[in-house]
Amino acid sequence: MRIVVLGDVVGRVGRQAIQTHLPRLVERWSLDFVVVNGENAAGGFGISEEIAQEILDAGADCITTGNHVWDQREALVFIERQPRMLRPINFPPGTPGHGAAMFTARNGARILVANVMGRIFMDPLDDPIRPLEAALDVHRLGSEVDAAIVDIHAEATSEKQVFGHMLDGRVSIVVGTHTHCPTADHRVLPGGTAFITDLGMCGAYDGVIGMDKEEPVRRMIERVPGQRITPATGPATICGIAVETDDSTGLAKWIVPIRMGGVLHEAGPSEWG
Amino acid sequence: MRIVVLGDVVGRVGRQAIQTHLPRLVERWSLDFVVVNGENAAGGFGISEEIAQEILDAGADCITTGNHVWDQREALVFIERQPRMLRPINFPPGTPGHGAAMFTARNGARILVANVMGRIFMDPLDDPIRPLEAALDVHRLGSEVDAAIVDIHAEATSEKQVFGHMLDGRVSIVVGTHTHCPTADHRVLPGGTAFITDLGMCGAYDGVIGMDKEEPVRRMIERVPGQRITPATGPATICGIAVETDDSTGLAKWIVPIRMGGVLHEAGPSEWG
Amino acid sequence: MRIVVLGDVVGRVGRQAIQTHLPRLVERWSLDFVVVNGENAAGGFGISEEIAQEILDAGADCITTGNHVWDQREALVFIERQPRMLRPINFPPGTPGHGAAMFTARNGARILVANVMGRIFMDPLDDPIRPLEAALDVHRLGSEVDAAIVDIHAEATSEKQVFGHMLDGRVSIVVGTHTHCPTADHRVLPGGTAFITDLGMCGAYDGVIGMDKEEPVRRMIERVPGQRITPATGPATICGIAVETDDSTGLAKWIVPIRMGGVLHEAGPSEWG
Amino acid sequence: MRIVVLGDVVGRVGRQAIQTHLPRLVERWSLDFVVVNGENAAGGFGISEEIAQEILDAGADCITTGNHVWDQREALVFIERQPRMLRPINFPPGTPGHGAAMFTARNGARILVANVMGRIFMDPLDDPIRPLEAALDVHRLGSEVDAAIVDIHAEATSEKQVFGHMLDGRVSIVVGTHTHCPTADHRVLPGGTAFITDLGMCGAYDGVIGMDKEEPVRRMIERVPGQRITPATGPATICGIAVETDDSTGLAKWIVPIRMGGVLHEAGPSEWG
Ligand SMILES: [Fe+2]
Ligand SMILES: [Fe+2]
Ligand SMILES: [Fe+2]
Ligand SMILES: [Fe+2]
Ligand SMILES: [Fe+2]
Ligand SMILES: [Fe+2]
Ligand SMILES: [Fe+2]
Ligand SMILES: [Fe+2]
């Protein structure tokens, strides 16, 4: 099965990157399933119902999020009627939305997607491991599900790597998100799980984590507040990974980074033509 | 000029990676100058005088460090007689060692190296920008120095990217270190400075930031202390960047990632043969 | 009912303070129940089985703890055979020990004690509220239990005050611990719960949170590691609160601070003679 | 000399507390000098020029601040024409305002006030110690100045206690601010400096650090954003300390807490009638 996962969409440029590239790639690569992290799609902060729909219309089958999920308060409402959008699984019981859900891929395969939030250098939240394990227990890879994808939204590389190793052999893909900077450590772990510490973001890379660089630079020097921080402009890049999974085991055959458009070194799966 | 900068050396495997690869690369690529971050070289925590010498003997011209610099207490002493080892510039005045120093490259060129520490999600330390600017003021690129290299040792991608933009056009190279995970955003910034958010580490990548994965995974699940955390074993990888600078301006002509040995996707500068 | 709760016992001086004052006060005030936080009793870091017994022998009916609970690894073992010692309730299921337990007071009353850990500026841990609410649900004040005491071990004043208000009218006493500095905001909240943001510590106050001041002062100036940080010596102070509860409702009639011995302004319940 | 220092004024209720009590106390106690921390005076967030004037008119001779100093952006402007308001000394050079200044007391005495910010659990800022020492060097207690007062605005009790010990015998008074909760550890340190870990706040204590309790309590349970957090209403309390200094040495003769109005246990200097 052919799966693509793209990192945090940041603002208008990030949405443009998705619009420009995703529909074409879905077709060209005959993608079976696409996940996009949308937590910064609305001006860098959160996501609106309209923007969520826009990302789905461009070819995403599932939208994951992270610490910015509720920045647009309407997300607390519309997530209940938008089953394709997830919020981190480790919010307290009763929180609107879901942190894991089953999807049907274009090829009819059954896919579990789970979205968890890390806790190192981040706001206090519940243990992500127990609810994730509960979801994996009832959706076993290779029997109940054909693929399982985990988006661990976290700051620390150590925490994301722990999730990779902890889940190795039990899910198809573990991707980190949140730092908005793609890492180059993508690989298939010993047990068969495709892993990358961070997908990077979809947006303008000539900035500071997707935001215009002028104010962040000034603020780090002067240490007093000033202008609002707004998304950077400039060439639109998409960033993420392409994974081919084994249809019988659900494990990964290979993982290749995707970086298209803009200032980064271009990359993509030559395997898919 | 041909410059290589390698990320945090972690433990015995990291030192092996240096021993195995660096002498050969210095010769094969006719390197003019090599910087290696050595803050985790001694069992993952700090650096001893003997190990520092070992890294220099393998071909490093300068060793940078970071938050772990004093983990081996002897570093507070031997750094005073080892001018090739730097500690972050933003320790208080009176701290042993230096945060910036001038070096002579193999080709006779004058090179400034500065080591600064970030402050987001890290222990309180002084402002890194003012002492860094002071060093750059008296060592201007293209006049007083032929190349200038800054190692910003920091957790947050945003902070490292701010340093890249802030210094763009004024130094040859800005590299981030500390997360032990190589990023894929290496590029020459608009002003001519080669930049990467994090070099990654030299060590065993089948672990958690270079350390054996078993205890970190258990600890994240059980949340109680247990065994000591020790460096991972397994294939030894070096990680970093190769940069060709312009001899007249000191700015970067190109930047290419280096990843050799072990489980990561291999990379290196084909330009140098 | 007459209840005394004392804050974090720090090192030898803290244990001396307990030995010197507690047996006498139990008798003089005819105390029904005594809780002591013991997380720093062993040299400032953790608690041993022997020391736990020593504190119980001095008159404590229950020992609470906090983030330092496992600093002496033996605590992971002996807590299983020491039902009078609690660890924070929000460790993962399966963690040795308990976070809440029922006790019988000297007067035969049934007392619930719960120990929870805050999460602001502290290591990641599970939600403390849900397990605490579960404990309170089955041990209702005024019906199933005659008194209920909650030790919220936390850094931020805001988090501890939230617990006070959240539990107001449902437990007898909410005390904060961890900062090792007594607060002066002790009072009975509108719903009848006695509250104080922090009990302070039992130990030597002419130091830095109970530890010898020389090294912490030097370290804050020089920012490099040096000597070990060890408990302060000097006059031994106990710090905490005295609360008289209503036997029918279990709510607090009054709360008075206790500060005896050493350099602080002395305080104690004149109501008890 | 008779000095009063009051903690963070929070919102309208805090300002009312100042208006109600301060003019009366200045007269009744024949105060020579009054310092008030005003960082939360404007709706809990920052301070406006008008409000600063209001606090000065009520009897304050100097207003100190903290991490909230710039929440009302106008403070960046008006602080330049308001020499009686300080901002923390450890902002970078070039920051509007001053972190230390000389004042003339009602009795003609020369008084140095310095405002420093801690760094543990707080945003990165420069070293507070070196600029503070520089100010103390040129304004020596007992020779150049008749009294010296330091407001250390910090979260951690340890950091504030380090400042107390570090300055003991060299300044008249060290007070902590920021936690909005008065501590009960006020005392004259061995060297003659009056010290308290935190003054507490001026405002409504039936809340969470001066803010209405409903939303903070809900947010800690539900972990999703909701209503704005606004200052609590209810009885207005002032909190701080009264210190009598020795006119020849400038050191403290005694320190007594002030808590007046509202829900806290009342306290004040009986020595002054
Ligand atoms: Fe993001
Ligand atoms: Fe995020
Ligand atoms: Fe490192
Ligand atoms: Fe580091
Ligand atoms: Fe403690
Ligand atoms: Fe603690
Ligand atoms: Fe405040
Ligand atoms: Fe503050």
Side-chain angles (χ1 to χ4, degrees), chain B residues 14-121:
Chain B
R15 276 141 45 205
Q16 281 170 353
I18 294 288
Q19 306 297 343
T20 305
H21 294 282
L22 190 53
R24 189 175 51 85
L25 293 178
V26 168
E27 188 165 346
R28 177 171 146 209
W29 291 341
S30 304
L31 296 179
D32 296 306
F33 199 74
V34 175
V35 181
V36 174
N37 187 303
E39 71 147 5
N40 307 103
F45 300 96
I47 184 166
S48 67
E49 184 163 25
E50 192 180 6
I51 288 175
Q53 192 57 55
E54 198 182 302
I55 293 173
L56 293 170
D57 289 345
D61 299 287
C62 171
I63 295 173
T64 54
T65 55
N67 55 311
H68 287 289
V69 59
W70 313 125
D71 285 1
Q72 305 296 322
R73 292 298 194 281
E74 63 173 285
L76 284 160
V77 177
F78 83 77
I79 198 171
E80 292 284 20
R81 57 181 176 245
Q82 181 42 277
R84 291 190 172 276
M85 183 166 120
L86 301 177
R87 45 79 181 166
I89 203 168
N90 43 336
F91 277 98
T95 303
H98 295 277
M102 285 299 301
F103 297 86
T104 304
R106 281 185 189 74
N107 64 348
R110 302 152 302 167
I111 304 203
L112 173 71
V113 183
N115 190 187
V116 306
M117 193 121 80
R119 302 195 286 179
I120 300 178
F121 306 135

Side-chain angles (χ1 to χ4, degrees), chain B residues 137-213:
Chain B
D137 266 1
V138 296
H139 301 290
R140 291 181 180 279
L141 189 66
S143 50
E144 284 85 0
V145 301
D146 301 302
I149 304 166
V150 176
D151 174 352
I152 158 82
H153 193 80
E155 173 69 31
T157 49
S158 59
E159 193 169 22
K160 292 187 269 197
Q161 292 172 13
V162 160
F163 271 79
H165 293 303
M166 187 176 66
L167 300 173
D168 185 21
R170 299 192 289 146
V171 303
S172 314
I173 302 172
V174 173
V175 296
T177 55
H178 178 66
T179 70
H180 292 200
C181 185
T183 60
D185 65 335
H186 52 91
R187 65 192 188 276
V188 177
L189 297 176
T193 297
F195 175 75
I196 189 169
T197 294
D198 206 289
L199 292 173
M201 59 144 188
C202 299
Y205 273 88
D206 186 25
V208 171
I209 58 169
M211 308 305 276
D212 189 81
K213 62 194 172 193

Side-chain angles (χ1 to χ4, degrees), chain A residues 150-267:
Chain A
V150 175
D151 173 353
I152 159 80
H153 193 80
E155 174 69 30
T157 49
S158 60
E159 193 169 23
K160 293 188 268 197
Q161 292 172 13
V162 161
F163 271 79
H165 293 302
M166 186 176 67
L167 300 173
D168 185 22
R170 299 192 291 145
V171 304
S172 315
I173 302 171
V174 172
V175 295
T177 54
H178 179 66
T179 70
H180 292 198
C181 185
T183 59
D185 66 336
H186 53 91
R187 65 193 187 274
V188 178
L189 297 175
T193 296
F195 175 75
I196 188 168
T197 294
D198 206 289
L199 292 173
M201 59 144 189
C202 299
Y205 272 88
D206 186 24
V208 172
I209 59 169
M211 308 305 276
D212 189 81
K213 61 194 172 193
E214 194 176 333
E215 174 66 10
V217 169
R218 186 205 61 74
R219 211 177 276 191
M220 199 160 294
I221 297 169
E222 302 187 4
R223 298 279 157 190
V224 294
Q227 303 302 313
R228 280 183 54 223
I229 291 181
T230 53
T233 52
T237 305
I238 60 164
C239 245
I241 50 148
V243 174
E244 176 99 43
T245 60
D246 182 291
D247 286 341
S248 58
T249 63
L251 292 171
K253 294 160 87 168
W254 50 258
I255 174 174
V256 166
I258 297 170
R259 297 185 296 270
M260 291 181 176
V263 298
L264 299 190
H265 191 75
E266 297 251 325

Side-chain angles (χ1 to χ4, degrees), chain D:
Chain D
M1 191 163 26
R2 296 180 167 194
I3 299 172
V4 159
V5 190
L6 301 178
D8 311 33
V9 176
V10 180
R12 184 180 307 273
V13 173
R15 277 140 46 204
Q16 281 170 353
I18 294 289
Q19 305 298 342
T20 305
H21 295 282
L22 189 53
R24 191 175 49 85
L25 294 177
V26 168
E27 188 165 346
R28 178 173 145 207
W29 291 340
S30 305
L31 296 179
D32 295 306
F33 198 73
V34 174
V35 181
V36 174
N37 187 303
E39 71 147 5
N40 308 103
F45 300 96
I47 185 167
S48 67
E49 183 162 26
E50 193 179 5
I51 288 175
Q53 192 56 56
E54 199 182 300
I55 293 172
L56 294 169
D57 289 346
D61 298 287
C62 171
I63 295 173
T64 54
T65 55
N67 55 312
H68 286 290
V69 58
W70 314 124
D71 284 2
Q72 305 296 321
R73 293 298 194 282
E74 63 172 288
L76 284 161
V77 176
F78 83 77
I79 198 172
E80 292 284 20
R81 57 181 175 245
Q82 182 43 277
R84 292 189 171 276
M85 183 166 121
L86 301 177
R87 45 80 181 165
I89 203 169
N90 43 337
F91 277 98
T95 303
H98 295 278
M102 286 298 302
F103 296 87
T104 304
R106 281 185 188 75
N107 64 348
R110 302 152 303 167
I111 304 202
L112 174 70
V113 183
N115 190 187
V116 305
M117 194 121 79
R119 301 195 287 179
I120 301 177
F121 306 135
M122 302 191 81
D123 282 343
L125 217 59
D126 291 349
D127 172 30
I129 296 177
R130 293 200 305 279
L132 177 60
E133 291 289 357
L136 295 176
D137 266 1
V138 296
H139 301 290
R140 291 181 181 280
L141 190 65
S143 49
E144 284 85 359
V145 302
D146 301 301
I149 304 166
V150 175
D151 174 353
I152 158 82
H153 193 81
E155 174 69 29
T157 49
S158 60
E159 194 169 22
K160 293 188 269 197
Q161 290 171 16
V162 160
F163 271 79
H165 293 302
M166 186 176 67
L167 300 173
D168 185 21
R170 299 193 290 145
V171 303
S172 315
I173 302 171
V174 173
V175 295
T177 55
H178 178 67
T179 70
H180 292 200
C181 185
T183 60
D185 65 335
H186 52 90
R187 65 193 187 274
V188 177
L189 297 175
T193 297
F195 175 75
I196 189 169
T197 295
D198 206 288
L199 292 173
M201 59 143 188
C202 299
Y205 273 88
D206 186 25
V208 172
I209 58 168
M211 308 305 276
D212 189 81
K213 62 194 170 192
E214 194 177 334
E215 174 66 9
V217 169
R218 186 204 61 76
R219 210 177 277 192
M220 199 161 293
I221 298 169
E222 303 188 2
R223 298 278 157 191
V224 295
Q227 304 302 314
R228 279 184 54 224
I229 291 182
T230 53
T233 52
T237 305
I238 60 163
C239 245
I241 49 146
V243 174
E244 175 100 43
T245 60
D246 182 291
D247 286 342
S248 58
T249 64
L251 292 171
K253 295 160 87 167
W254 48 258
I255 174 174
V256 166
I258 298 170
R259 297 186 297 270
M260 291 181 176
V263 298
L264 300 189
H265 191 75
E266 298 252 325
S270 57
E271 291 83 346
W272 290 341

